[in-house]
Amino acid sequence: MSGNGSKVTVATTWLDGCSGCHMSFLDMDQRLVDLAEQIDIVYSPLVDTKELPEQVDLGILEGSISSDEDLHKAREFRARCKLLLSLGDCAVNGNVPAMRNPFKLDDVIERAYRENVDVNPQIPTEGVPALLATVRPVHHVVDVDIFVPGCPPHADTIHYVLTELIAGRTPDPGRVTRFGA
Ligand code: SF4
């Protein structure tokens, strides 16, 4: 992966996940300082930038596709990122969010917003993205180039994958991580 002589640009976002994969990214700790010499995080919940650039070298998606907003974000990342990476089990196989798939969406909403609520139960209609009927992993809606399983993937795994990509090599995440690791 080349940043055209300059730093490799990286964008990240979370879809339907718990943010734990991003926390694992931060767990690279001191190594982030070294990585900052080689990568430029141009868009992420971890930085202030609010606009996804038109062209990005590497896009990293945490979480699964559960809502119309997730779907839009995944498509936008795919359109603008040369390489797209699914980070963590929720992105790779649906994981925890997909546990609602055996149930009808109306029943899930009823359970979450009425049956389990003691005070003012109501189903929100404004300010929340519309849920899709089923939760899907990222590669079911857009092409994904690199899969990094784990819940979350260990910081060492994320560091390995990033350094391999920066060096222009194809990482083999299966050597260092597995589902649920
Ligand atoms: S893979 Fe695990 S740590 Fe990552 S977003 Fe999903 S539940 Fe959270």
Side-chain angles (χ1 to χ4, degrees):
M1 191 169 56
S2 165
N4 294 327
S6 56
K7 292 182 179 179
V8 172
T9 53
V10 177
T12 86
T13 196
W14 45 48
L15 306 172
D16 191 3
C18 74
S19 78
C21 291
H22 273 75
M23 296 306 106
S24 202
F25 189 101
L26 290 178
D27 274 346
M28 285 191 284
D29 293 330
Q30 182 67 28
R31 289 172 290 184
L32 286 169
V33 177
D34 299 328
L35 277 175
E37 301 286 325
Q38 298 169 290
I39 69 173
D40 187 7
I41 300 180
V42 293
Y43 175 90
S44 172
L46 306 175
V47 300
D48 288 335
T49 317
K50 298 291 182 276
E51 293 281 331
L52 179 65
E54 290 294 327
Q55 291 194 324
V56 181
D57 293 318
L58 174 65
I60 299 175
L61 295 178
E62 167 195 313
S64 49
I65 309 295
S66 298
S67 69
D68 57 359
E69 185 177 279
D70 298 332
L71 189 56
H72 171 75
K73 281 187 189 173
R75 286 175 173 162
E76 190 175 44
F77 262 63
R78 179 66 280 177
R80 299 187 183 193
C81 301
K82 289 181 201 161
L83 284 179
L84 193 61
L85 184 155
S86 272
L87 181 66
D89 287 350
C90 293
V92 173
N93 67 15
N95 199 30
V96 176
M99 291 172 73
R100 76 164 164 90
N101 282 352
F103 306 98
K104 289 181 183 170
L105 178 58
D106 286 348
D107 292 343
V108 171
I109 291 175
E110 188 68 21
R111 181 90 175 151
Y113 290 108
R114 290 193 194 279
E115 291 177 21
N116 285 343
V117 177
D118 295 326
V119 179
N120 195 22
Q122 58 182 307
I123 296 173
T125 55
E126 294 180 6
V128 292
L131 293 176
L132 303 175
T134 56
V135 175
R136 287 178 284 174
V138 173
H139 67 281
H140 280 203
V141 300
V142 294
D143 289 338
V144 170
D145 303 297
I146 306 150
F147 296 86
V148 183
C151 183
H154 197 280
D156 292 348
T157 298
I158 298 171
H159 184 258
Y160 158 74
V161 170
L162 287 179
T163 52
E164 288 294 288
L165 288 172
I166 291 167
R169 296 186 290 265
T170 302
D172 180 9
R175 284 179 44 216
V176 292
T177 187
R178 58 184 167 79
F179 291 111

